[in-house]
Amino acid sequence: MTSVRIFFKGGLTSYRAMFGWLHPGVAIPVFLIEPVAQILLFAFIGRSAGVADDRFYVIGNALQFASIPCLFAMAFTIDGEREAHTLSVVLVSPARRLPLFLGRALPVIANGWVVTLVGLVAGMLLLRVTIPGSAWLPMLLVVLVSSASCTGLGLATGAVALRVRDSAVLANVVYCGLLIFSGVNVALDQVPGWMADVGRWLPLTHAIEAARRLADGQGAGSIGGLLVRELGLGAAYTVLGLLMLRWLETSSRRWATLDRV
Amino acid sequence: MWKVLHQIAVCYWLQVKVTSTSWFDGVLAVFYPLMFATATLLVYRVRGDADGMQFAGLGAVVMGMWTCQGVVAASALARERWSGTLELLVAAPTGMPRILVPTTLAFSTVGLYCVVVTFLWERWVFDLPLHITSWPLFVLGVVVAALTLSLFGYFLAVTCVRYRTAWAIGAAMEMPGWLLCGFVVPLALLPTWLHPLSWVIPTTWAMEAVRDAANGSSPWGHLGLALLVGAGYAVIGGYLGRQLVDSARRHATLALT
């Protein structure tokens, strides 16, 4: 029962306390203006280069923008404890680590889901892109899965934030990696083979492909395999993040580097 | 006169050291636009159109300067506030323009570093040798872009002095700026109602001058326009700076606490 309470209540409290971007002064520019600007930027680049239609870029960039809350919020909910000098208090508590850190991921997934949908709808309205009505229900699921898998990567990034001083820089670097390798703006069969190989091991890649299939009018049955792979990758990154948290926590205690700001 | 130049030089050099050694304002400000330039070039490369690659490659080289200035300058005074030095700067007998313009010039200097890095990145990673007809005029165009951007950055810094989360404004301006300045998308492709917004950004004209220098046209007209618009921002920034800072001192809101 305590673990359930830590998971839900503790997770939400930590998210609200540590993720300082929920204020309208930050949330509106970062979660509304930036994703729409990125969608428009690449849609116009696509038009100028004559490569793909607007829908390709709306879907790719809207889904990729979920990684902003997923990476940054997860990093900040861990790194923020150190900034607030509460990390040692959290880590000496007898609370189980699994609900303690996974609980923080739940609101982040919801945040990523909402940001993606806002980007999708805004991009569609501004660029007059249409997605078949029948595709919307599975699309909501795809967005949820992509946010969850990206949060797994965020957990791993957040774990590194236990050791790396500037988590914002780290999250930005990972964000850029997803932009380049996940097939956001160029289909994987149009990039060098090694880049496509890297992309297949990253979150978002399969979800973006699934979303594009749905938007092209293919049925929900065509995306099952992609969703399973996306979920599998998300789970793998989550496990990796938890293992890294455990290892870095132990080594931080041993080397007294826990509160090094 | 010597004292003024010395103060400006000291302030500029101090800020160059502070900015270039910062992971966020120095390293990331170069890395982030470089990765967006990479994504852009990957899109243009799909068609294998040499003219398109030349257009995007030139724009991508200058694109990073916008990030180094726009994003960082917006929060320049907010960072002083976080460091507890804003009150000292405002109360100093040296005027704000003489402190802020060297600061934004330092941001532009990091932008120049970004130009060089992107240029080499395009050459080595994309095997894209940019065709520049007149190197001296190309360099002049880039320098004018840096100078006018620093004046724009000064305007931005003083306008955001009362905004607690100014960094978010700067970050939100990044990609719209890339679009409006015509770095990697021809301005003709943008809706007509957006064109006036492009015209009031000095970098739009500086970018045109850089393209002129690259393709052998005369860049002087565009360089003049860039300097004119940049000077306009310096004048407006000077006026607004005095008004906003005076108002903040009068109402004791400088600290925003």
Side-chain angles (χ1 to χ4, degrees):
Chain A
M1 194 60 201
T2 307
S3 290
V4 173
R5 208 167 60 86
I6 289 172
F7 181 81
F8 285 105
K9 205 169 176 178
L12 185 62
T13 307
S14 300
Y15 168 75
R16 288 177 61 194
M18 293 299 158
F19 191 38
W21 291 9
L22 301 174
H23 180 271
V26 180
I28 293 171
V30 173
F31 293 145
L32 185 64
I33 299 175
E34 276 194 63
V36 173
Q38 186 176 320
I39 288 166
L40 291 178
L41 175 73
F42 280 102
F44 277 102
I45 288 173
R47 285 181 189 183
S48 172
V51 175
D53 58 7
D54 289 348
R55 192 166 61 187
F56 182 88
Y57 298 102
V58 169
I59 290 175
N61 289 285
L63 263 79
Q64 196 244 342
F65 218 84
S67 58
I68 286 287
C70 295
L71 294 172
F72 284 80
M74 280 316 292
F76 289 172
T77 51
I78 295 171
D79 188 44
E81 300 278 12
R82 186 169 52 192
E83 296 276 337
H85 300 287
T86 46
L87 186 59
S88 49
V89 180
V90 170
L91 294 184
V92 295
S93 73
R96 290 179 58 216
R97 297 299 184 254
L98 205 63
L100 185 71
F101 289 115
L102 284 188
R104 293 165 191 234
L106 204 60
V108 174
I109 293 171
N111 191 338
W113 190 73
V114 171
V115 167
T116 302
L117 289 179
V118 166
L120 261 182
V121 172
M124 285 171 60
L125 291 175
L126 287 169
L127 296 167
R128 294 181 187 160
V129 166
T130 52
I131 290 176
S134 59
W136 272 105
L137 205 59
M139 185 72 85
L140 295 178
L141 179 68
V142 168
V143 173
L144 184 67
V145 168
S146 70
S147 299
S149 67
C150 204
T151 303
L153 181 62
L155 186 70
T157 312
V160 180
L162 272 184
R163 186 58 58 86
V164 174
R165 220 175 279 232
D166 205 333
S167 57
V169 174
L170 182 69
N172 268 305
V173 169
V174 177
Y175 178 80
C176 289
L178 291 173
L179 178 80
I180 303 284
F181 290 101
S182 296
V184 176
N185 293 300
V186 185
L188 286 190
D189 56 0
Q190 289 174 327
V191 295
W194 69 271
M195 288 181 72
D197 291 340
V198 172
R200 288 190 192 94
W201 289 97
L202 289 175
L204 293 181
T205 308
H206 301 98
I208 289 172
E209 197 181 331
R212 283 186 179 136
R213 282 190 192 180
L214 288 172
D216 286 343
Q218 297 183 37
S222 68
I223 60 164
L226 289 169
L227 279 190
V228 169
R229 265 175 276 172
E230 184 75 25
L231 271 175
L233 272 175
Y237 278 108
T238 304
V239 171
L240 177 71
L242 289 169
L243 289 173
M244 283 168 70
L245 275 171
R246 193 187 185 98
W247 175 63
L248 287 167
E249 182 190 334
T250 312
S251 64
S252 297
R253 284 167 186 248
R254 187 175 304 134
W255 301 108
T257 54
L258 204 59
D259 271 331
R260 198 176 61 183
V261 179
Chain B
M1 185 66 183
W2 171 248
K3 270 188 170 177
V4 172
L5 286 175
H6 180 255
Q7 175 266 314
I8 288 173
V10 167
C11 189
Y12 165 77
W13 185 239
L14 178 73
Q15 291 294 337
V16 166
K17 286 198 280 187
V18 169
T19 311
S20 57
T21 52
S22 156
W23 276 97
F24 196 86
D25 298 328
V27 179
L28 188 64
V30 174
F31 178 81
Y32 194 81
L34 186 66
M35 289 302 103
F36 272 79
T38 304
T40 302
L41 291 171
L42 283 171
V43 175
Y44 273 96
R45 202 171 73 159
V46 172
R47 287 281 293 269
D49 172 22
D51 289 341
M53 285 298 279
Q54 165 81 1
F55 173 85
L58 267 180
V61 160
V62 185
M63 192 166 88
M65 294 182 81
W66 176 260
T67 301
C68 292
Q69 186 63 249
V71 178
V72 185
S75 56
L77 289 178
R79 277 200 307 279
E80 299 289 351
R81 182 180 291 121
W82 296 336
S83 311
T85 46
L86 182 59
E87 285 87 350
L88 294 174
L89 290 182
V90 169
T94 308
M96 283 296 273
R98 276 169 49 191
I99 297 168
L100 270 180
V101 173
T103 304
T104 55
L105 271 173
F107 301 156
S108 279
T109 307
V110 177
L112 289 175
Y113 175 69
C114 192
V115 169
V116 175
V117 169
T118 312
F119 190 87
L120 295 175
W121 180 263
E122 288 179 4
R123 203 174 182 92
W124 292 337
V125 177
F126 285 90
D127 197 18
L128 177 65
L130 294 177
H131 302 294
I132 313 285
T133 306
S134 169
W135 275 101
L137 290 176
F138 173 81
V139 173
L140 181 67
V142 170
V143 170
V144 167
L147 184 70
T148 54
L149 255 176
S150 69
L151 297 175
F152 180 72
Y154 165 59
F155 163 79
L156 207 58
V158 292
T159 354
C160 292
V161 66
R162 298 274 288 273
Y163 195 66
R164 201 182 296 262
T165 47
W167 67 267
I169 292 284
M173 282 177 52
E174 187 171 33
M175 282 179 250
W178 288 346
L179 255 181
L180 289 171
C181 293
F183 292 130
V184 286
V185 174
L187 291 179
L189 271 186
L190 300 182
T192 322
W193 61 270
L194 278 176
H195 289 181
L197 275 177
S198 296
W199 300 335
V200 295
I201 304 175
T203 329
T204 306
W205 303 111
M207 186 65 236
E208 286 298 318
V210 166
R211 289 196 199 284
D212 289 338
N215 64 29
S217 318
S218 168
W220 296 108
H222 289 132
L223 285 176
L225 278 169
L227 287 169
L228 192 69
V229 178
Y233 279 106
V235 172
I236 299 170
Y239 173 75
L240 277 181
R242 193 171 304 133
Q243 298 296 317
L244 289 169
V245 171
D246 283 353
S247 162
R249 292 181 75 170
R250 197 175 306 124
H251 298 102
T253 51
L254 201 59
L256 289 180
T257 48

